[in-house]
Amino acid sequence: KVRAGIFSRQHLLTAGIEIGTAWHFIREARLRRGWGIAVIDPNARGEGVGFDTFKRSFSRLFDANDASNNTSDESTKPMSRQQSVNSLSTSAQSSSIYILAHSAGGGQLVRHLREDSTLLP
């Protein structure tokens, strides 16, 4: 299976890391522009739950409470829709969000945005 950040195994093997992966985009964003980076792997828990994994990961990106520092069972529970919307609107008020979505991740992003139009301006 192709993991997050790899466009195609064959392309990676024949063209190299610069062209076959998101490495160039990540390096440009991180080093030259100083942007934060999040790489979501919707297939990390298996293809059958890819969309659920994507939605949970996407929602966590905008969790203003920083769930990574939360050691309680609350950190493993998915955020409610309202928590996600509130966190997104407060974190994105003064900044833009740029997304590179590839393959199934692109489809899952579009589906998520269509199902929850409150995420769009």
Side-chain angles (χ1 to χ4, degrees), residues 90-121:
T90 57
S91 66
Q93 284 176 357
S94 62
S95 63
S96 298
I97 299 170
Y98 298 92
I99 298 173
L100 169 64
H102 174 258
S103 193
Q108 291 165 347
L109 171 65
V110 171
R111 179 179 170 195
H112 186 52
L113 293 175
R114 289 184 69 170
E115 287 181 0
D116 187 354
S117 60
T118 60
L119 296 174
L120 297 173

PDB file of all heavy atoms in Angstrom, residues 90-121:
ATOM      1  N   THR A  90     -12.082  29.463  14.948  1.00  0.00           N
ATOM      2  CA  THR A  90     -11.185  30.310  15.733  1.00  0.00           C
ATOM      3  C   THR A  90      -9.747  30.209  15.249  1.00  0.00           C
ATOM      4  O   THR A  90      -9.022  31.184  15.276  1.00  0.00           O
ATOM      5  CB  THR A  90     -11.245  29.952  17.233  1.00  0.00           C
ATOM      6  OG1 THR A  90     -10.917  28.583  17.397  1.00  0.00           O
ATOM      7  CG2 THR A  90     -12.599  30.259  17.812  1.00  0.00           C
ATOM      8  N   SER A  91      -9.321  29.041  14.772  1.00  0.00           N
ATOM      9  CA  SER A  91      -7.929  28.893  14.347  1.00  0.00           C
ATOM     10  C   SER A  91      -7.691  29.428  12.947  1.00  0.00           C
ATOM     11  O   SER A  91      -6.574  29.755  12.597  1.00  0.00           O
ATOM     12  CB  SER A  91      -7.502  27.426  14.415  1.00  0.00           C
ATOM     13  OG  SER A  91      -8.217  26.664  13.470  1.00  0.00           O
ATOM     14  N   ALA A  92      -8.724  29.505  12.126  1.00  0.00           N
ATOM     15  CA  ALA A  92      -8.528  29.897  10.735  1.00  0.00           C
ATOM     16  C   ALA A  92      -8.937  31.339  10.458  1.00  0.00           C
ATOM     17  O   ALA A  92      -8.903  31.774   9.327  1.00  0.00           O
ATOM     18  CB  ALA A  92      -9.329  28.958   9.835  1.00  0.00           C
ATOM     19  N   GLN A  93      -9.320  32.086  11.483  1.00  0.00           N
ATOM     20  CA  GLN A  93      -9.801  33.439  11.262  1.00  0.00           C
ATOM     21  C   GLN A  93      -8.763  34.329  10.602  1.00  0.00           C
ATOM     22  O   GLN A  93      -9.087  35.133   9.754  1.00  0.00           O
ATOM     23  CB  GLN A  93     -10.253  34.062  12.582  1.00  0.00           C
ATOM     24  CG  GLN A  93     -11.588  33.541  13.031  1.00  0.00           C
ATOM     25  CD  GLN A  93     -11.972  34.104  14.375  1.00  0.00           C
ATOM     26  OE1 GLN A  93     -11.218  34.839  14.998  1.00  0.00           O
ATOM     27  NE2 GLN A  93     -13.160  33.768  14.835  1.00  0.00           N
ATOM     28  N   SER A  94      -7.515  34.204  10.990  1.00  0.00           N
ATOM     29  CA  SER A  94      -6.516  35.136  10.492  1.00  0.00           C
ATOM     30  C   SER A  94      -5.486  34.472   9.574  1.00  0.00           C
ATOM     31  O   SER A  94      -4.479  35.077   9.278  1.00  0.00           O
ATOM     32  CB  SER A  94      -5.794  35.790  11.665  1.00  0.00           C
ATOM     33  OG  SER A  94      -5.130  34.803  12.409  1.00  0.00           O
ATOM     34  N   SER A  95      -5.731  33.248   9.160  1.00  0.00           N
ATOM     35  CA  SER A  95      -4.754  32.591   8.304  1.00  0.00           C
ATOM     36  C   SER A  95      -5.442  31.763   7.237  1.00  0.00           C
ATOM     37  O   SER A  95      -6.599  31.412   7.356  1.00  0.00           O
ATOM     38  CB  SER A  95      -3.833  31.700   9.132  1.00  0.00           C
ATOM     39  OG  SER A  95      -4.584  30.673   9.749  1.00  0.00           O
ATOM     40  N   SER A  96      -4.687  31.464   6.206  1.00  0.00           N
ATOM     41  CA  SER A  96      -5.181  30.623   5.126  1.00  0.00           C
ATOM     42  C   SER A  96      -4.713  29.197   5.357  1.00  0.00           C
ATOM     43  O   SER A  96      -3.705  28.960   6.014  1.00  0.00           O
ATOM     44  CB  SER A  96      -4.639  31.118   3.788  1.00  0.00           C
ATOM     45  OG  SER A  96      -5.094  32.421   3.526  1.00  0.00           O
ATOM     46  N   ILE A  97      -5.444  28.280   4.799  1.00  0.00           N
ATOM     47  CA  ILE A  97      -5.081  26.876   4.885  1.00  0.00           C
ATOM     48  C   ILE A  97      -4.879  26.374   3.462  1.00  0.00           C
ATOM     49  O   ILE A  97      -5.751  26.520   2.617  1.00  0.00           O
ATOM     50  CB  ILE A  97      -6.177  26.062   5.587  1.00  0.00           C
ATOM     51  CG1 ILE A  97      -6.376  26.578   7.001  1.00  0.00           C
ATOM     52  CG2 ILE A  97      -5.836  24.584   5.575  1.00  0.00           C
ATOM     53  CD1 ILE A  97      -7.582  26.000   7.693  1.00  0.00           C
ATOM     54  N   TYR A  98      -3.709  25.810   3.202  1.00  0.00           N
ATOM     55  CA  TYR A  98      -3.397  25.251   1.900  1.00  0.00           C
ATOM     56  C   TYR A  98      -3.336  23.742   2.039  1.00  0.00           C
ATOM     57  O   TYR A  98      -2.690  23.226   2.945  1.00  0.00           O
ATOM     58  CB  TYR A  98      -2.065  25.797   1.390  1.00  0.00           C
ATOM     59  CG  TYR A  98      -2.103  27.295   1.201  1.00  0.00           C
ATOM     60  CD1 TYR A  98      -1.725  28.145   2.220  1.00  0.00           C
ATOM     61  CD2 TYR A  98      -2.540  27.850   0.003  1.00  0.00           C
ATOM     62  CE1 TYR A  98      -1.772  29.517   2.069  1.00  0.00           C
ATOM     63  CE2 TYR A  98      -2.595  29.223  -0.155  1.00  0.00           C
ATOM     64  CZ  TYR A  98      -2.208  30.044   0.875  1.00  0.00           C
ATOM     65  OH  TYR A  98      -2.264  31.401   0.716  1.00  0.00           O
ATOM     66  N   ILE A  99      -4.001  23.043   1.130  1.00  0.00           N
ATOM     67  CA  ILE A  99      -4.096  21.589   1.244  1.00  0.00           C
ATOM     68  C   ILE A  99      -3.607  20.942  -0.047  1.00  0.00           C
ATOM     69  O   ILE A  99      -4.015  21.327  -1.142  1.00  0.00           O
ATOM     70  CB  ILE A  99      -5.548  21.154   1.525  1.00  0.00           C
ATOM     71  CG1 ILE A  99      -6.019  21.745   2.855  1.00  0.00           C
ATOM     72  CG2 ILE A  99      -5.666  19.642   1.517  1.00  0.00           C
ATOM     73  CD1 ILE A  99      -7.483  21.521   3.137  1.00  0.00           C
ATOM     74  N   LEU A 100      -2.737  19.955   0.087  1.00  0.00           N
ATOM     75  CA  LEU A 100      -2.343  19.098  -1.014  1.00  0.00           C
ATOM     76  C   LEU A 100      -2.971  17.746  -0.718  1.00  0.00           C
ATOM     77  O   LEU A 100      -2.590  17.080   0.240  1.00  0.00           O
ATOM     78  CB  LEU A 100      -0.816  18.965  -1.098  1.00  0.00           C
ATOM     79  CG  LEU A 100      -0.283  17.897  -2.042  1.00  0.00           C
ATOM     80  CD1 LEU A 100      -0.657  18.220  -3.483  1.00  0.00           C
ATOM     81  CD2 LEU A 100       1.213  17.751  -1.889  1.00  0.00           C
ATOM     82  N   ALA A 101      -3.960  17.370  -1.483  1.00  0.00           N
ATOM     83  CA  ALA A 101      -4.650  16.100  -1.269  1.00  0.00           C
ATOM     84  C   ALA A 101      -4.472  15.236  -2.515  1.00  0.00           C
ATOM     85  O   ALA A 101      -4.656  15.703  -3.626  1.00  0.00           O
ATOM     86  CB  ALA A 101      -6.130  16.347  -0.991  1.00  0.00           C
ATOM     87  N   HIS A 102      -4.109  13.992  -2.304  1.00  0.00           N
ATOM     88  CA  HIS A 102      -3.800  13.103  -3.410  1.00  0.00           C
ATOM     89  C   HIS A 102      -4.634  11.829  -3.339  1.00  0.00           C
ATOM     90  O   HIS A 102      -4.882  11.302  -2.255  1.00  0.00           O
ATOM     91  CB  HIS A 102      -2.310  12.746  -3.367  1.00  0.00           C
ATOM     92  CG  HIS A 102      -1.904  11.738  -4.369  1.00  0.00           C
ATOM     93  ND1 HIS A 102      -1.693  10.432  -4.058  1.00  0.00           N
ATOM     94  CD2 HIS A 102      -1.689  11.850  -5.703  1.00  0.00           C
ATOM     95  CE1 HIS A 102      -1.360   9.762  -5.146  1.00  0.00           C
ATOM     96  NE2 HIS A 102      -1.348  10.614  -6.152  1.00  0.00           N
ATOM     97  N   SER A 103      -5.057  11.356  -4.475  1.00  0.00           N
ATOM     98  CA  SER A 103      -5.737  10.076  -4.615  1.00  0.00           C
ATOM     99  C   SER A 103      -6.970  10.003  -3.708  1.00  0.00           C
ATOM    100  O   SER A 103      -7.789  10.906  -3.706  1.00  0.00           O
ATOM    101  CB  SER A 103      -4.754   8.946  -4.344  1.00  0.00           C
ATOM    102  OG  SER A 103      -5.285   7.717  -4.759  1.00  0.00           O
ATOM    103  N   ALA A 104      -7.097   8.938  -2.937  1.00  0.00           N
ATOM    104  CA  ALA A 104      -8.279   8.763  -2.083  1.00  0.00           C
ATOM    105  C   ALA A 104      -8.417   9.891  -1.075  1.00  0.00           C
ATOM    106  O   ALA A 104      -9.529  10.298  -0.736  1.00  0.00           O
ATOM    107  CB  ALA A 104      -8.216   7.426  -1.357  1.00  0.00           C
ATOM    108  N   GLY A 105      -7.308  10.432  -0.604  1.00  0.00           N
ATOM    109  CA  GLY A 105      -7.355  11.548   0.342  1.00  0.00           C
ATOM    110  C   GLY A 105      -8.031  12.770  -0.254  1.00  0.00           C
ATOM    111  O   GLY A 105      -8.743  13.495   0.431  1.00  0.00           O
ATOM    112  N   GLY A 106      -7.831  13.008  -1.544  1.00  0.00           N
ATOM    113  CA  GLY A 106      -8.498  14.121  -2.223  1.00  0.00           C
ATOM    114  C   GLY A 106      -9.998  13.924  -2.276  1.00  0.00           C
ATOM    115  O   GLY A 106     -10.773  14.837  -1.998  1.00  0.00           O
ATOM    116  N   GLY A 107     -10.404  12.720  -2.608  1.00  0.00           N
ATOM    117  CA  GLY A 107     -11.833  12.409  -2.632  1.00  0.00           C
ATOM    118  C   GLY A 107     -12.466  12.503  -1.268  1.00  0.00           C
ATOM    119  O   GLY A 107     -13.591  12.985  -1.117  1.00  0.00           O
ATOM    120  N   GLN A 108     -11.741  12.050  -0.255  1.00  0.00           N
ATOM    121  CA  GLN A 108     -12.262  12.110   1.102  1.00  0.00           C
ATOM    122  C   GLN A 108     -12.370  13.552   1.592  1.00  0.00           C
ATOM    123  O   GLN A 108     -13.320  13.912   2.286  1.00  0.00           O
ATOM    124  CB  GLN A 108     -11.396  11.265   2.034  1.00  0.00           C
ATOM    125  CG  GLN A 108     -11.552   9.794   1.745  1.00  0.00           C
ATOM    126  CD  GLN A 108     -10.488   8.937   2.363  1.00  0.00           C
ATOM    127  OE1 GLN A 108      -9.468   9.427   2.835  1.00  0.00           O
ATOM    128  NE2 GLN A 108     -10.716   7.640   2.364  1.00  0.00           N
ATOM    129  N   LEU A 109     -11.423  14.382   1.200  1.00  0.00           N
ATOM    130  CA  LEU A 109     -11.482  15.800   1.565  1.00  0.00           C
ATOM    131  C   LEU A 109     -12.722  16.450   0.950  1.00  0.00           C
ATOM    132  O   LEU A 109     -13.480  17.126   1.637  1.00  0.00           O
ATOM    133  CB  LEU A 109     -10.223  16.534   1.109  1.00  0.00           C
ATOM    134  CG  LEU A 109     -10.270  18.065   1.243  1.00  0.00           C
ATOM    135  CD1 LEU A 109     -10.356  18.464   2.707  1.00  0.00           C
ATOM    136  CD2 LEU A 109      -9.071  18.690   0.567  1.00  0.00           C
ATOM    137  N   VAL A 110     -12.932  16.232  -0.327  1.00  0.00           N
ATOM    138  CA  VAL A 110     -14.096  16.813  -1.009  1.00  0.00           C
ATOM    139  C   VAL A 110     -15.386  16.305  -0.379  1.00  0.00           C
ATOM    140  O   VAL A 110     -16.307  17.076  -0.100  1.00  0.00           O
ATOM    141  CB  VAL A 110     -14.049  16.515  -2.520  1.00  0.00           C
ATOM    142  CG1 VAL A 110     -15.346  16.916  -3.195  1.00  0.00           C
ATOM    143  CG2 VAL A 110     -12.862  17.228  -3.160  1.00  0.00           C
ATOM    144  N   ARG A 111     -15.461  15.013  -0.116  1.00  0.00           N
ATOM    145  CA  ARG A 111     -16.667  14.447   0.508  1.00  0.00           C
ATOM    146  C   ARG A 111     -16.912  15.076   1.872  1.00  0.00           C
ATOM    147  O   ARG A 111     -18.041  15.444   2.210  1.00  0.00           O
ATOM    148  CB  ARG A 111     -16.509  12.934   0.636  1.00  0.00           C
ATOM    149  CG  ARG A 111     -17.684  12.266   1.289  1.00  0.00           C
ATOM    150  CD  ARG A 111     -17.496  10.769   1.364  1.00  0.00           C
ATOM    151  NE  ARG A 111     -18.506  10.167   2.199  1.00  0.00           N
ATOM    152  CZ  ARG A 111     -18.432   8.937   2.669  1.00  0.00           C
ATOM    153  NH1 ARG A 111     -17.420   8.158   2.357  1.00  0.00           N
ATOM    154  NH2 ARG A 111     -19.390   8.463   3.433  1.00  0.00           N
ATOM    155  N   HIS A 112     -15.852  15.208   2.669  1.00  0.00           N
ATOM    156  CA  HIS A 112     -15.984  15.797   4.005  1.00  0.00           C
ATOM    157  C   HIS A 112     -16.471  17.242   3.921  1.00  0.00           C
ATOM    158  O   HIS A 112     -17.354  17.661   4.672  1.00  0.00           O
ATOM    159  CB  HIS A 112     -14.652  15.711   4.737  1.00  0.00           C
ATOM    160  CG  HIS A 112     -14.691  16.156   6.155  1.00  0.00           C
ATOM    161  ND1 HIS A 112     -15.595  15.675   7.073  1.00  0.00           N
ATOM    162  CD2 HIS A 112     -13.921  17.053   6.834  1.00  0.00           C
ATOM    163  CE1 HIS A 112     -15.387  16.246   8.245  1.00  0.00           C
ATOM    164  NE2 HIS A 112     -14.382  17.084   8.124  1.00  0.00           N
ATOM    165  N   LEU A 113     -15.912  18.018   3.009  1.00  0.00           N
ATOM    166  CA  LEU A 113     -16.326  19.417   2.863  1.00  0.00           C
ATOM    167  C   LEU A 113     -17.755  19.530   2.341  1.00  0.00           C
ATOM    168  O   LEU A 113     -18.491  20.432   2.733  1.00  0.00           O
ATOM    169  CB  LEU A 113     -15.360  20.155   1.938  1.00  0.00           C
ATOM    170  CG  LEU A 113     -13.938  20.343   2.474  1.00  0.00           C
ATOM    171  CD1 LEU A 113     -13.056  20.971   1.429  1.00  0.00           C
ATOM    172  CD2 LEU A 113     -13.929  21.140   3.765  1.00  0.00           C
ATOM    173  N   ARG A 114     -18.150  18.617   1.479  1.00  0.00           N
ATOM    174  CA  ARG A 114     -19.535  18.635   0.972  1.00  0.00           C
ATOM    175  C   ARG A 114     -20.526  18.251   2.049  1.00  0.00           C
ATOM    176  O   ARG A 114     -21.637  18.779   2.107  1.00  0.00           O
ATOM    177  CB  ARG A 114     -19.675  17.699  -0.228  1.00  0.00           C
ATOM    178  CG  ARG A 114     -18.971  18.254  -1.469  1.00  0.00           C
ATOM    179  CD  ARG A 114     -19.195  17.373  -2.631  1.00  0.00           C
ATOM    180  NE  ARG A 114     -20.613  17.487  -2.997  1.00  0.00           N
ATOM    181  CZ  ARG A 114     -21.112  16.995  -4.096  1.00  0.00           C
ATOM    182  NH1 ARG A 114     -20.350  16.365  -4.938  1.00  0.00           N
ATOM    183  NH2 ARG A 114     -22.396  17.125  -4.359  1.00  0.00           N
ATOM    184  N   GLU A 115     -20.156  17.301   2.907  1.00  0.00           N
ATOM    185  CA  GLU A 115     -21.059  16.855   3.972  1.00  0.00           C
ATOM    186  C   GLU A 115     -21.177  17.871   5.103  1.00  0.00           C
ATOM    187  O   GLU A 115     -22.163  17.898   5.809  1.00  0.00           O
ATOM    188  CB  GLU A 115     -20.592  15.513   4.536  1.00  0.00           C
ATOM    189  CG  GLU A 115     -20.831  14.355   3.597  1.00  0.00           C
ATOM    190  CD  GLU A 115     -20.399  13.023   4.166  1.00  0.00           C
ATOM    191  OE1 GLU A 115     -19.903  12.975   5.323  1.00  0.00           O
ATOM    192  OE2 GLU A 115     -20.562  12.015   3.468  1.00  0.00           O
ATOM    193  N   ASP A 116     -20.144  18.679   5.285  1.00  0.00           N
ATOM    194  CA  ASP A 116     -20.167  19.666   6.364  1.00  0.00           C
ATOM    195  C   ASP A 116     -19.775  21.023   5.783  1.00  0.00           C
ATOM    196  O   ASP A 116     -18.615  21.444   5.872  1.00  0.00           O
ATOM    197  CB  ASP A 116     -19.207  19.266   7.476  1.00  0.00           C
ATOM    198  CG  ASP A 116     -19.319  20.162   8.703  1.00  0.00           C
ATOM    199  OD1 ASP A 116     -20.060  21.171   8.642  1.00  0.00           O
ATOM    200  OD2 ASP A 116     -18.688  19.854   9.717  1.00  0.00           O
ATOM    201  N   SER A 117     -20.726  21.715   5.186  1.00  0.00           N
ATOM    202  CA  SER A 117     -20.461  22.974   4.505  1.00  0.00           C
ATOM    203  C   SER A 117     -20.062  24.087   5.478  1.00  0.00           C
ATOM    204  O   SER A 117     -19.604  25.142   5.046  1.00  0.00           O
ATOM    205  CB  SER A 117     -21.666  23.404   3.686  1.00  0.00           C
ATOM    206  OG  SER A 117     -22.789  23.584   4.539  1.00  0.00           O
ATOM    207  N   THR A 118     -20.195  23.873   6.782  1.00  0.00           N
ATOM    208  CA  THR A 118     -19.789  24.889   7.744  1.00  0.00           C
ATOM    209  C   THR A 118     -18.264  25.042   7.783  1.00  0.00           C
ATOM    210  O   THR A 118     -17.760  25.998   8.349  1.00  0.00           O
ATOM    211  CB  THR A 118     -20.292  24.576   9.162  1.00  0.00           C
ATOM    212  OG1 THR A 118     -19.751  23.317   9.578  1.00  0.00           O
ATOM    213  CG2 THR A 118     -21.815  24.527   9.202  1.00  0.00           C
ATOM    214  N   LEU A 119     -17.548  24.096   7.203  1.00  0.00           N
ATOM    215  CA  LEU A 119     -16.091  24.174   7.178  1.00  0.00           C
ATOM    216  C   LEU A 119     -15.589  25.129   6.115  1.00  0.00           C
ATOM    217  O   LEU A 119     -14.436  25.543   6.132  1.00  0.00           O
ATOM    218  CB  LEU A 119     -15.485  22.782   6.931  1.00  0.00           C
ATOM    219  CG  LEU A 119     -15.748  21.759   8.019  1.00  0.00           C
ATOM    220  CD1 LEU A 119     -15.240  20.396   7.587  1.00  0.00           C
ATOM    221  CD2 LEU A 119     -15.106  22.180   9.326  1.00  0.00           C
ATOM    222  N   LEU A 120     -16.452  25.486   5.171  1.00  0.00           N
ATOM    223  CA  LEU A 120     -16.068  26.409   4.096  1.00  0.00           C
ATOM    224  C   LEU A 120     -16.498  27.824   4.443  1.00  0.00           C
ATOM    225  O   LEU A 120     -17.493  28.029   5.130  1.00  0.00           O
ATOM    226  CB  LEU A 120     -16.722  25.978   2.778  1.00  0.00           C
ATOM    227  CG  LEU A 120     -16.300  24.613   2.256  1.00  0.00           C
ATOM    228  CD1 LEU A 120     -17.144  24.235   1.051  1.00  0.00           C
ATOM    229  CD2 LEU A 120     -14.834  24.610   1.898  1.00  0.00           C
ATOM    230  N   PRO A 121     -15.730  28.817   3.941  1.00  0.00           N
ATOM    231  CA  PRO A 121     -16.104  30.205   4.247  1.00  0.00           C
ATOM    232  C   PRO A 121     -17.417  30.593   3.583  1.00  0.00           C
ATOM    233  O   PRO A 121     -17.847  30.053   2.640  1.00  0.00           O
ATOM    234  CB  PRO A 121     -14.946  31.033   3.684  1.00  0.00           C
ATOM    235  CG  PRO A 121     -14.126  30.118   2.858  1.00  0.00           C
ATOM    236  CD  PRO A 121     -14.534  28.724   3.173  1.00  0.00           C
TER     237      PRO A 121
END
